[in-house]
Every structure is written in structure tokens, then in C-alpha cells.
Amino acid sequence: MKILKEYGVLLLWLFWGITACDNNDNTSLYPEYYDTIQELVQKGDLLKSVTQNDNCYIFTFESKIIEIPTDIIQNVHIDDVAWRTTITFVNGSTYIVPSIGDAIDDLIVKIVVNPSGYNPLAANLYCELPAQGRIKIIVHSKPDAKTPDVEFQSDDVQRSQVIQILGLYPNYENKVTLVYLDKTGKERAKTTIQIKTKALNVTYLPAAIRIIKRKINEMEPGMTLISSPGKEETDTSIPYMIDADGEIRWILDWNSHPELKYIGAQCGLKRMKNGNYIAGDCNHGLLVEVDALGNIVHKWDLKGMGYNFHHEAVETKNGKIQILVTKAKAMLADGSNSRIFDHTIELDPITGSITKEWDYAQILDSARINKVDMGEEWNNNMYLGANRSNWLHNNGIFVDDDEMVATGRWLGFFKYDYSGKLKYIMAPHNNWREQYKRYLLTPLDRNGQPITDIEVLNGEKVHEDFEWCWGPHCPIVLPNGHVMVFDNGYNRYYSARSEEYSRAVEYEIDEKNMTVRQVWQYGKERGRECYAMAVSSVQYLEQTGNRLFCPGIGNILSDGSMGARIIEINPKTQEIILEMELPGVANTIFHRANRIPLYPEG
């Protein structure tokens, strides 16, 4: 790749556009030509060609043709390499006009791989353009890959540009095409460059991700964001994205970051409307906004406000951030012990102030605790077992305008409004105090008739048409109003010896009649292959209508080892569109996995 020549001179004419290169007042000598050309240059037009007849030079710009008499022009010099044409008049005055060149190699100032130090699969491209326009990048897939090329078009029309290149392969000579477009999107020129990356130096990543099945033309576009905790929660969280071939194409390696070296992000990164990511840090009581390169854009000290982050943070439609937290001063009613995992707060990111707090002990029945004998290690652990302090274990939330749906590991899920008014409880009917029974949803069979078997209602056995969800994560309200969750199956039917399977399950809820009907599920038929007793996620895929089912821990893989799976399903046919196996290198492979565009849309 050529380096930009005559850099200082070029910057001068890029800055001024058309330049008069002597001490004469050229605008007064030839104002009718100078003003017209200056207007075109300021508009972002480039000179395409120069021809000559007996009477005049014909200057063809991208949007207009200008004719100048030959008797006032001494010389016209076209420099295709530098993208400029010099017009010398008979009086010695000179105009330098930006014009179409041969290639854009000389417009590239430099390329910096891993510019932040935290994303080794990204690069910054610095370029100086002769006129306003856009740069489109194409990161080409490997020759034998099924994943489409990564394409991104910058909205920036400035002459000096810094373009972020994402989606590079590790330890590879990446082929990247750069296309210079005018403001309307018409191609001016392009070139192809090579960007060499190093091998990833990150521990606790899956070895070889295995493709079990893939129908590339039926998959939801994008890449899958994996929110890995690293070795364990107290280790550095590792968010990374994989493509349809199981290749890692984006990663944040915070091991050298002064503030995020031991970030415990739990449910992981959520993309914000501005294209950045929001994440909590359970190890330090922080909330952070980071960019695609892993730099901190903003941070908020939750611990200093009296809270500690756990599990999840989501941006709301009005730009606030709802965060699942433990309140430091929250105590049991008798003051005997602290309460954990049972608050949500709303943060105004602009002011940094807490605008709302929801104490679930004021919404739900905190006295309802259904213990299961999981062994001494679990039963006596305040964080892992069901107990008075950890009576709810809120681990997921979906925010939709003024209403929220949240999960509780020990009950199921529930809905409430912004004021904190409870709407319904989707949980077995046993052991609720009287004032909460009117909020319990009644399950229906496939014919829409109420299920009356008391053992089914109390969660002691399964019905052929309906199952409660156990230890669920990742609640989602679908476009049709139904609710989908990842049903972990943890202590199903209140038995430590229950059949082990996890499901993606969809429920139709009638809030007027307070009923619930199970309308779709996937995973039960897979048994231990897809069983994840903790973490994990589901996702509704908007473009295809497919569902992503992602058990993130403890799956028995095809080779008999333990790991995790990413499964994309067509819910109409129950056909698997994509299945990947992520072999285990740590206890938890991921908390969440979500299909998103590599570059933020819009």
C-alpha cells in the first residue's frame, strides 16, 4: 500500500478546496469561473474529466459541465495519483481542483490494528479524501467460509475520516476492500488492502467450535454475541462474537484494562441505541458503557449509591437504564439478615441519578420459600440455595414501556407496572399467602380448558399440555404479546432427582381472565444434551421469526464432553436451522448468547 505523498500540501488543498496559488486576486480576474467551481467543490463534486475543442476547455464535474475559453488557460495538469487537477491561467494564476483519481491507496494515511488495546480483531482506518463522500468497507470471508462478507458503509461525509473496521479474523491476512462513494452512494474508486492480525492471546475460550447443522440461507443474519464469564465469575468476563462458521470475529480482551481487568458482567453486554454497549460489573459494583473497541465511555458507581450489580442491565425506550441489583441496606423484616437479588433500579445516565427503585419484597410474597434438598453445599449457601435472604433470586428482566416482566429463580416469572403494581404471577400455586393468590395464573390445556389437577397446579407433576418453568432466565415479550423464557428445569417439580431437560418455552397469557396456555416449546426432547441448570438464554429473531435457544452450561456434547450449545430453530416446523457446540474450557461457557449485527443498525 502506498503512503500518502506530499501530505502537507495535500492537506492544504483538501482544507481550502480550490486554491489560488499566487498573490493575485483570482476571484476578481475570473469570478464567473472561480465562483462556479468553488460552489461545486464545496458541494462535494469532483472533476471527472477535461477535454478540449477549438474554443474552450470542457471541465466535466460529477454534476455539472463548465466551459472555459482556451485563450485564458495556459496549461491543465491532471494528477490522477493525488486526485487533483491544476489549472494555470495565462496571467500566471493557478487553481488546484479536486478531481477523480485512479485509486484510493494514496488517500489512506494509516491503518492501526487493535487501536484501543482491547479488541485485537478491529482496526482503525485513517484517510484524507479529496471531497466529501463516504467510505464503504468489505471484510472478505475466508475462501471456504459460509459466512457472508462483512459490509459497512460510513455515514460520515467529512474529508478527514476514521473508519472502524470490525470482523477481522484472528491470526490471518485479512482481505479488506475499501470503496470511496460520493454523497449519493455512487462509487468513485476502490482498492483492496491486507490487514494482518495476531493470534488471540485469551484463555478460557472454546477450543474448536463445532458446526452440527447449518442452513445458511435460512439463518438470521448477523453474528452471535457470547457473554462468557471467563474461568469463573471473579475472573475477567470475555464478550466475543462468532460467525456462522464458528469463527471468532470480535472480542474484548480486558486483561490489561486498568478498571475492567476483573469485570464480572454476568448476563453480559447489551447494545444501546447509540451503538455502544451497557454492562454491569458485579465484582466492583459498577455500571459501564463501552464502545466497540472496549473503551469506557461512561461509568457509574452503583456501590457508591448503595447497590451492587447482579445479572442484567437494559436500556429502556426512554433512554433510562434498568439494573438488577442487591440493595446494601435491604434487610429481612425481622432484621436478622440481609436480602439479596431482589431489587431493580432505574438510572438516568445523563444525570447519574437513581430515578426509580423497585423492592420486590413489596411486590411479591417474600415469605414463600420452597426448599429442595440439593445437598449441604447448596442448601447452606446464601447465594445458591433458596433461603430467606435469597428468597427470589431475580435473574432477568424485559422492559416494555411502562411494564416489566422479570424472572425469579425460585418462582417463575411475574409482571408489574412502572408504579410497582403487580399484574400477574406465573408460578406454581402452592404456599402463597392469601393476598397473592388472585395474581396467580391458571394454566389451560390445549383446548383452552382450565387444568384443575391440584398436583399440576402446585408444580408436583407435569401435564401433557402444560409445564411450569423452573429456575428460568431471559424473559422476552414477543411481538404477539406472548412471553418466552429459557426454562432451565432446575429442581423441576421441587425434586433434586427430577428428569433433567431445559426448554425454550412460549406462553400465551390472558391478563383479563388470568390464564396461561403453553403454545410452543423446544428442548425437552433433547434431554441432557441441552440441559443447563443455570444461566442460558433465548432470543426472538426478528427478520426470520426463528428462535435462538442457548443452554450455556453443562450440556453433554456429541463427543461426550461437557459444554454449551447455540441452536436456531424455525418454530413453525421445529426444524434446526443452526446448531453449534462450544466445548467446555470453564464451568460456565456463557451467560447469554444473542444474534446481533456486527455493526449497529442505523
Side-chain angles (χ1 to χ4, degrees), residues 156-286:
D156 193 353
V157 295
Q158 302 301 313
R159 294 180 177 178
S160 296
Q161 293 199 22
V162 181
I163 308 298
Q164 209 169 80
I165 300 177
L166 305 177
L168 301 175
Y169 290 94
N171 194 30
Y172 189 69
E173 195 81 33
N174 290 268
K175 179 182 175 183
V176 181
T177 295
L178 308 173
V179 186
Y180 178 23
L181 309 169
D182 66 16
K183 291 191 292 186
T184 67
K186 185 177 180 181
E187 182 178 319
R188 283 171 165 158
K190 65 182 179 181
T191 191
T192 298
I193 60 173
Q194 304 289 326
I195 301 179
K196 181 70 174 72
T197 55
K198 297 179 181 178
L200 295 177
N201 185 27
V202 182
T203 54
Y204 306 113
L205 292 174
I209 296 175
R210 295 190 286 267
I211 308 296
I212 304 301
K213 182 178 181 180
R214 175 181 53 198
K215 301 187 73 174
I216 193 73
N217 294 328
E218 297 180 36
M219 286 176 54
E220 182 83 2
M223 296 196 182
T224 305
L225 171 62
I226 309 292
S227 292
S228 165
K231 180 181 180 181
E232 54 194 13
E233 298 290 357
T234 55
D235 190 31
T236 307
S237 293
I238 310 168
Y240 61 95
M241 294 189 204
I242 57 176
D243 64 15
D245 297 289
E247 294 258 20
I248 295 177
R249 305 290 296 277
W250 180 94
I251 191 169
L252 296 184
D253 176 9
W254 280 317
N255 274 290
S256 63
H257 198 289
E259 296 177 85
L260 302 179
K261 181 173 174 57
Y262 295 111
I263 179 174
Q266 296 196 337
C267 288
L269 275 61
K270 296 290 183 63
R271 181 173 278 160
M272 304 172 70
K273 291 190 286 288
N274 64 8
N276 291 333
Y277 297 88
I278 196 77
D281 183 354
C282 65
N283 295 328
H284 302 94
L286 294 175

Side-chain angles (χ1 to χ4, degrees), residues 224-381:
T224 305
L225 171 62
I226 309 292
S227 292
S228 165
K231 180 181 180 181
E232 54 194 13
E233 298 290 357
T234 55
D235 190 31
T236 307
S237 293
I238 310 168
Y240 61 95
M241 294 189 204
I242 57 176
D243 64 15
D245 297 289
E247 294 258 20
I248 295 177
R249 305 290 296 277
W250 180 94
I251 191 169
L252 296 184
D253 176 9
W254 280 317
N255 274 290
S256 63
H257 198 289
E259 296 177 85
L260 302 179
K261 181 173 174 57
Y262 295 111
I263 179 174
Q266 296 196 337
C267 288
L269 275 61
K270 296 290 183 63
R271 181 173 278 160
M272 304 172 70
K273 291 190 286 288
N274 64 8
N276 291 333
Y277 297 88
I278 196 77
D281 183 354
C282 65
N283 295 328
H284 302 94
L286 294 175
L287 182 74
V288 294
E289 176 184 348
V290 299
D291 62 21
L293 301 180
N295 297 302
I296 294 178
V297 179
H298 293 104
K299 66 177 179 178
W300 299 271
D301 181 8
L302 300 179
K303 190 165 289 187
M305 302 177 196
Y307 304 94
N308 194 23
F309 169 81
H310 76 87
H311 286 89
E312 188 157 30
V314 296
E315 185 183 27
T316 66
K317 291 180 180 178
N318 64 5
K320 303 290 180 63
I321 302 170
Q322 288 199 18
I323 314 156
L324 307 189
V325 294
T326 290
K327 187 174 183 178
K329 295 183 179 180
M331 302 295 292
L332 299 174
D334 59 8
S336 62
N337 208 342
S338 60
R339 290 189 279 127
I340 60 173
F341 306 157
D342 64 354
H343 281 73
T344 291
I345 57 174
E346 181 184 74
L347 174 77
D348 184 331
I350 297 175
T351 65
S353 60
I354 304 299
T355 54
K356 185 72 175 176
E357 176 190 275
W358 293 271
D359 180 351
Y360 293 130
Q362 304 299 316
I363 298 175
L364 296 167
D365 188 356
S366 61
R368 180 184 182 269
I369 301 173
N370 294 316
K371 288 190 174 182
V372 177
D373 185 7
M374 289 293 293
E376 187 173 332
E377 179 183 357
W378 284 74
N379 291 342
N380 296 332
N381 188 303

Side-chain angles (χ1 to χ4, degrees), residues 372-373 491-492 495-500:
V372 177
D373 185 7
N491 288 343
R492 202 176 290 277
S495 171
R497 292 168 295 280
S498 62
E499 185 181 356
E500 294 180 330

Side-chain angles (χ1 to χ4, degrees), residues 464-485:
E464 62 178 351
D465 297 336
F466 178 87
E467 290 185 61
W468 302 105
C469 51
W470 301 84
H473 287 74
C474 196
I476 297 171
V477 178
L478 301 174
N480 60 8
H482 296 179
V483 176
M484 181 169 66
V485 297

Side-chain angles (χ1 to χ4, degrees), residues 13-41:
W13 70 259
L14 283 171
F15 180 76
W16 290 108
I18 180 172
T19 304
C21 295
D22 66 356
N23 295 323
N24 296 327
D25 183 0
N26 298 290
T27 60
S28 63
L29 288 171
Y30 307 112
E32 66 273 31
Y33 307 120
Y34 178 90
D35 292 346
T36 303
I37 294 175
Q38 179 72 13
E39 180 182 348
L40 290 170
V41 171

